[in-house]
Amino acid sequence: MNAKLQTPNFKRQMQPPPFPSRANASRLMFGVWSLAFGVFCFAGDRQTQPINLPAVMRLAGAENLDIKIAQQRLAEAEAAHEQALWQFFPYLAPSVGFRRHEGNAQTVEGRIIDINKQSFFVSGSALAQLDLGDAIYRAMVSTRLVAAAQHGAEAQRQESVYQAVSAFFELVRAKAARGVAAESVRIADSYAGELGRAVESGIAFRGDAFRASAQAERNRLVLRQSQEQQRIAAARLAQTLRISPVIELVPEGADPAPMQLGQAAATLDALVAQALAQRPELRQSAAQVAAAGKARDGAKYGPLVPTVRGEYTYGGLGGGTYEDGVGRFADSTDYSIGLWWRVGPGGLFDRGRIHAAEARLETGALEQEKLRDEITRQVVEAHTRMHSLADQIESARKALDAAEQSLKLARQRQQFGVGEVLENIQAEQDLTRARLDYLSTITEHNRVQFLLQRAIGAGRTDHQ
């Protein structure tokens, strides 16, 4: 889809106003000069950068901090899994030692003797103490937690992309609203100039001219506020994309137009089924429940598997009595292997550990069911809003057409001396309000398109 969103032009084709009187022209030129000077001072030290929707979607998945945090959690889960696997392997323990004894000692036969002796040893040991049942189930748990972290990273990526797209649409709306405000200022200034000339000709009431001037200034105030909102929206989008907020992002293209991403024809049941099948949050929850199930099995059946300990030591040993020094240094080798079971806390018959693991498993299952309900609600809400906003766009468009015709007729009546000032001002206010409503409705409609994409877990869109 083309990133430059197109739309019907809001601006009305109007005849240029007659040249204003000298006094009104001076006030008008002063106001325009003041506004231009303020904008120049405000924008003189900033940079601007055009941006479109595909660029936003690419940047949102590249530099977003929440995505990087999720990736680090995945790395942590993978490291924990690697650590669990290393429990199946022995470890080495090189050692060097010296031992000295003076005074009484007991012989093998039980006699007490007075002897001075010493020994020196250098050895390397390979030891493996494996809580086999715990190691097996811990590896199973860590495998499923890695899968959960992967799905969690994908869920965060989709959420970050949606948040960036939402911020982009808000920037597009703010830019278009600024254009509407500028057009309202032009219309109000034109009408105020006409009234000023009518007052000087003696065919209009001076109070009406002041009323029109007040409306023009109110429109100018709204224009300045819209400039502020556009700049703030640009800064927020830049923050989401990890771009310096000093750079002002400006959306490419004209005002927004309604978008269709392909879900309009899909039934609600089909969208719910799609969401329940591919939302990464549900896959993450399923992996977490599976991990809790393996942890429960480990608490129940892991203690039945014995702990295995094996040790092999090879080195040199020398020594003897004090007079012998450290002589007789020769090879020394030891082997040992053993099996044992643990009974009590952390082992067999530890009912508290089993009950805690079963409670965590049940909690995970309940949270998964709650998540399914939440995802279903999100799909229903986004689907309902999408169709509602499509209808609202049509109503807003008709209201806009009616407001444009109302202002046109009011200006024509004023030219023939039939209309009233308040009628023209009200018609201009209605037109501005209708334009802003139309913009807001289209912006929200486009945002909801992506919200529905997010709700059904669509990892990619036609824009990518």
Side-chain angles (χ1 to χ4, degrees):
M1 180 175 176
N2 193 342
K4 297 184 178 181
L5 307 178
Q6 303 296 327
T7 188
N9 195 345
F10 284 137
K11 296 185 178 181
R12 300 171 61 248
Q13 300 297 326
M14 298 181 60
Q15 295 296 329
F19 192 76
S21 64
R22 181 175 299 177
N24 288 334
S26 299
R27 288 194 295 269
L28 179 60
M29 290 302 298
F30 178 79
V32 172
W33 180 87
S34 299
L35 178 61
F37 180 77
V39 172
F40 175 80
C41 293
F42 178 77
D45 58 348
R46 75 185 181 205
Q47 301 175 355
T48 60
Q49 176 64 47
I51 193 167
N52 53 32
L53 187 56
V56 167
M57 299 181 72
R58 286 193 299 269
L59 291 173
E63 295 296 329
N64 186 273
L65 288 179
D66 291 330
I67 294 179
K68 291 186 176 182
I69 292 173
Q71 290 171 344
Q72 291 304 312
R73 288 174 179 165
L74 172 59
E76 181 182 358
E78 291 173 341
H81 176 61
E82 182 181 3
Q83 187 178 15
L85 293 179
W86 273 104
Q87 291 184 349
F88 290 93
F89 297 92
Y91 61 91
L92 300 177
S95 60
V96 176
F98 175 78
R99 184 178 180 184
R100 168 77 178 169
H101 172 80
E102 297 180 357
N104 286 349
Q106 189 174 22
T107 65
V108 177
E109 299 85 3
R111 296 182 296 109
I112 299 298
I113 61 176
D114 183 10
I115 187 172
N116 296 330
K117 61 180 181 177
Q118 59 191 7
S119 63
F120 178 77
F121 62 91
V122 178
S123 67
S125 300
L127 300 96
Q129 177 171 326
L130 180 59
D131 295 329
L132 195 56
D134 184 62
I136 291 174
Y137 283 102
R138 186 178 299 178
M140 293 180 179
V141 169
S142 63
T143 299
R144 285 151 181 81
L145 290 180
V146 168
Q150 290 173 341
H151 296 309
E154 173 60 19
Q156 184 57 63
R157 187 195 68 81
Q158 292 185 13
E159 178 64 21
S160 298
V161 170
Y162 167 70
Q163 293 297 333
V165 168
S166 180
F168 174 76
F169 283 138
E170 178 58 28
L171 177 59
V172 173
R173 187 206 63 78
K175 176 189 174 185
R178 177 178 176 178
V180 171
E183 177 67 5
S184 68
V185 169
R186 189 189 68 81
I187 294 174
D189 283 342
S190 173
Y191 184 59
E194 291 178 5
L195 276 176
R197 288 186 296 275
V199 169
E200 292 181 354
S201 301
I203 60 174
F205 179 52
R206 186 173 296 276
D208 292 339
F210 285 124
R211 184 177 290 112
S213 297
Q215 179 61 37
E217 294 304 320
R218 282 194 294 268
N219 292 349
R220 215 180 309 278
L221 175 64
V222 172
L223 173 59
R224 189 62 185 90
Q225 291 171 345
S226 65
Q227 293 170 344
E228 171 192 339
Q229 292 303 314
Q230 181 181 347
R231 187 63 184 92
I232 292 174
R236 289 176 177 173
L237 176 59
Q239 180 186 15
T240 302
L241 301 179
R242 297 299 314 285
I243 299 173
S244 173
V246 175
I247 300 175
E248 182 178 359
L249 300 177
V250 180
E252 294 180 348
D255 298 330
M259 301 172 58
Q260 292 293 340
L261 297 184
Q263 289 83 26
T267 64
L268 180 59
D269 291 339
L271 292 173
V272 170
Q274 185 178 356
L276 296 180
Q278 65 183 22
R279 273 292 286 267
E281 291 90 341
L282 272 177
R283 296 178 180 178
Q284 178 185 16
S285 178
Q288 290 171 340
V289 170
K294 292 302 179 181
R296 188 274 315 273
D297 294 342
K300 293 177 66 175
Y301 308 117
L304 297 175
V305 183
T307 297
V308 181
R309 178 181 173 86
E311 181 176 357
Y312 170 78
T313 303
Y314 174 80
L317 176 66
T321 63
Y322 183 76
E323 292 79 9
D324 296 334
V326 291
R328 305 177 185 177
F329 197 85
D331 294 346
S332 176
T333 305
D334 294 301
Y335 309 85
S336 68
I337 188 170
L339 303 176
W340 67 86
W341 287 260
R342 181 173 181 174
V343 179
L348 292 170
F349 311 116
D350 187 351
R351 303 300 301 174
R353 180 186 177 192
I354 296 174
H355 292 161
E358 289 176 342
R360 285 191 290 269
L361 175 59
E362 185 64 22
T363 300
L366 292 173
E367 289 178 345
Q368 185 179 21
E369 189 64 25
K370 182 180 178 181
L371 179 59
R372 289 174 64 89
D373 294 341
E374 172 64 18
I375 289 175
T376 302
R377 181 200 62 80
Q378 291 176 5
V379 175
V380 172
E381 180 178 329
H383 182 266
T384 302
R385 293 185 61 196
M386 181 183 68
H387 288 281
S388 174
L389 286 165
D391 296 336
Q392 292 178 41
I393 288 176
E394 181 62 20
S395 299
R397 186 190 62 79
K398 291 179 179 179
L400 176 59
D401 293 340
E404 289 178 342
Q405 293 299 321
S406 176
L407 180 60
K408 180 178 179 180
L409 293 175
R411 297 300 297 273
Q412 290 175 352
R413 292 181 63 190
Q414 178 66 25
Q415 291 176 2
F416 290 97
V418 180
E420 296 181 353
V421 174
L422 290 177
E423 179 183 354
N424 280 268
I425 294 177
Q426 183 64 48
E428 184 270 321
Q429 292 174 344
D430 291 342
L431 177 59
T432 299
R433 189 180 302 110
R435 287 174 172 174
L436 293 176
D437 289 343
Y438 186 65
L439 281 175
S440 298
T441 305
I442 291 178
T443 300
E444 193 60 24
H445 176 268
N446 293 342
R447 195 199 314 268
V448 168
Q449 297 285 320
F450 282 87
L451 179 62
L452 184 57
Q453 286 271 347
R454 174 70 183 97
I456 63 177
R460 298 178 65 86
T461 69
D462 296 335
H463 292 279
Q464 289 182 281

